[in-house]
Amino acid sequence: MVVEKNAPLQPCNTFGIAARAQTLVRIHASSDVLAVLADPQLAPAPKFVLGGGSNIILTGDVKPVVLKMEIKGLRLVEETPKAWIVEAGAGEAWHDCVAWTLANGFPGLENLALIPGTVGASPVQNIGAYGVELQDRFESLDAIDLATGQSFTLDAAQCGFGYRDSVFKHGAPSDALDANGLPRGMGLQGRAVITHVRFHLPKPWKPVLGYVDLERRMADEGVQQPTAQQIFNWICEIRRAKLPEPAVVGNAGSFFKNPTVSPDQCADIIAREPRIVHYPMPDG
Ligand SMILES: Cc1cc2nc3c(=O)[nH]c(=O)nc-3n(C[C@H](O)[C@H](O)[C@H](O)COP(=O)(O)OP(=O)(O)OC[C@H]3O[C@@H](n4cnc5c(N)ncnc54)[C@H](O)[C@@H]3O)c2cc1C
């Protein structure tokens, strides 16, 4: 466990906001989290889990103990006739993880190329892009409860994934209600440190196309059946053309979520704007 005092956070957030952490602990292994929880000074203090800092805005110096996630490791856990199961440490850069899976012959994450941040943060908002969400490729994750020190494993259902949503964005069940006003279940916001994530990459691989930008690239390049590597390359190029590189121009990506509307509302909008881009939700 490496503990730093008055640590600069400017290199740790994509806006490049100059702020400091009173105390920052670099988490290189699950045992580092347990060491923090066993430390008489660190244990009782509030904690803030920090990945790549690409989805936060710092408004000043950070008083809670910052747990900077730096757990590394990428490995094939299992190969079955139906899927490759790949595990990544929470501190791996997301894009590097996607690139590694492709380079090693485990396609399936290519549509999520170039999303900034870390593997450990990917389940928090169920990252998604170009027709694929994390939940489509998710097997399970390991986490540690900061309140009890208990290690636990969650599958997709237990993560409560929704559109840019999961149990990690909700507090205790009492204040975590779904659209119908029902408890969402176990809320883990600010409580769980995700240490490892496992992905389920289905066989045989099938491309996820259908996005206008991708279809345009296929037409431009005369490719009808792109490989996963081609999709990865195209998505990197499309994203680079759309959003500034955070290392060059500080930003936190898009601030907007697509609105979810009822089937009736959708039909009404289509009647007025027939070319509107829209996608069905699993629940209709
Ligand atoms: C240019 C740009 C483009 C983007 N494009 C997309 C996109 O296409 N799709 C998309 O979904 N998002 C996108 N994002 C948002 C961002 O990349 C994702 O939300 C990403 O998953 C954040 O990862 P991070 O490691 O930077 O998290 P951070 O910003 O460090 O943290 C975000 C939240 O997750 C929590 N957290 C982080 N790590 C852990 C952990 N190990 N355990 C528990 N909690 C944790 C933090 O406490 C915090 O609440 C974009 C951002 C930028 C800057």
Side-chain angles (χ1 to χ4, degrees):
M1 177 172 76
V2 181
V3 182
E4 297 171 21
K5 291 288 181 186
N6 200 27
L9 292 176
Q10 194 164 14
C12 305
N13 72 98
T14 55
F15 266 117
I17 293 169
R20 288 184 172 268
Q22 286 184 356
T23 306
L24 182 144
V25 184
R26 296 191 185 274
I27 303 294
H28 294 289
S30 303
S31 56
D32 287 337
V33 179
L34 301 178
V36 168
L37 299 180
D39 184 283
Q41 286 185 330
L42 299 176
K47 320 273 185 313
F48 176 68
V49 184
L50 180 62
S54 68
N55 210 27
I56 56 162
I57 297 181
L58 297 173
T59 54
D61 290 347
V62 180
K63 291 189 181 125
V65 174
V66 173
L67 304 182
K68 177 79 174 67
M69 299 309 294
E70 298 185 355
I71 300 175
K72 299 289 185 183
L74 293 159
R75 68 186 181 107
L76 178 69
V77 177
E78 188 187 0
E79 180 172 359
T80 73
K82 292 191 171 171
W84 296 280
I85 309 297
V86 169
E87 181 183 86
E92 289 286 350
W94 172 261
H95 179 72
D96 294 350
C97 171
V98 175
W100 182 89
T101 54
L102 281 181
N104 285 277
F106 319 132
L109 295 176
E110 55 282 348
N111 291 53
L112 301 175
L114 220 59
I115 296 180
T118 54
V119 164
S122 63
V124 174
Q125 72 151 359
N126 182 23
I127 59 170
Y130 295 92
V132 175
E133 290 186 304
L134 180 82
Q135 65 177 342
D136 303 323
R137 302 286 182 266
F138 182 84
E139 173 74 11
S140 60
L141 62 77
D142 297 334
I144 298 174
D145 186 333
L146 284 173
T148 64
Q150 196 76 34
S151 298
F152 58 93
T153 298
L154 299 183
D155 63 20
Q158 291 167 316
C159 287
F161 290 127
Y163 174 54
R164 301 296 169 273
D165 199 16
S166 74
V167 289
F168 305 103
K169 290 181 75 171
H170 294 267
S174 56
D175 67 352
L177 305 180
D178 66 16
N180 300 314
L182 298 170
R184 282 185 56 89
M186 182 171 54
L188 290 171
Q189 185 178 40
R191 186 162 170 168
V193 184
I194 297 165
T195 57
H196 296 87
V197 181
R198 283 171 291 279
F199 308 101
H200 180 277
L201 307 176
K203 289 183 187 175
W205 172 77
K206 288 197 196 98
V208 177
L209 305 168
Y211 255 70
V212 177
D213 291 333
L214 283 175
E215 287 181 350
R216 198 172 291 144
R217 290 304 293 261
M218 287 168 62
D220 288 351
E221 304 204 11
V223 176
Q224 286 183 343
Q225 292 180 317
T227 64
Q229 188 64 49
Q230 279 174 315
I231 294 172
F232 173 90
N233 293 344
W234 290 341
I235 284 180
C236 290
E237 288 171 21
I238 292 165
R239 290 185 67 103
R240 286 194 175 108
K242 278 188 177 172
L243 271 175
E245 179 71 34
V248 180
V249 180
N251 74 90
S254 167
F255 284 77
F256 303 103
K257 285 172 72 173
N258 294 326
T260 305
V261 297
S262 70
D264 286 348
Q265 286 171 317
C266 191
D268 180 47
I269 295 167
I270 292 169
R272 284 183 277 151
E273 182 48 75
R275 289 179 306 160
I276 192 90
V277 177
H278 61 285
Y279 302 96
M281 297 295 286
D283 60 359

